[in-house]
Amino acid sequence: MNLFITAFAQVFLVVLNTYFIANSFELGIAICGFFISFVWSYNVRKVAFGTITERIVYSLGAMAGSLAAFYLGQMILK
């Protein structure tokens, strides 16, 4: 479950940051930029040496994070 959550967080932040960049929301860009790198530094070690099951769990978390960030970005900028 922890791997799912960290994957969710990383991709969530990437998608949200992309949305902020497209809409020139500088504070959001700065905050997301920091946390993307912070979460990535934690994830890279776990996924690089993970099993196929762990990689699938990671990918599912990333997928869910993408969708959630898209909808949150829309709500923030409305």
Side-chain angles (χ1 to χ4, degrees), residues 10-65:
Q10 182 178 346
V11 177
F12 180 92
L13 290 165
V14 170
V15 172
L16 191 57
N17 201 31
T18 302
Y19 202 83
F20 289 157
I21 291 167
N23 290 281
S24 301
F25 184 54
E26 293 172 353
L27 179 61
I29 294 167
I31 292 169
C32 282
F34 172 83
F35 282 107
I36 289 166
S37 294
F38 187 78
V39 173
W40 176 83
S41 70
Y42 182 75
N43 282 345
V44 70
R45 182 174 40 114
K46 292 189 318 184
V47 175
F49 301 106
T51 65
I52 189 68
T53 301
E54 290 169 324
R55 291 178 183 196
I56 289 170
V57 168
Y58 182 86
S59 299
L60 290 170
M63 176 187 68

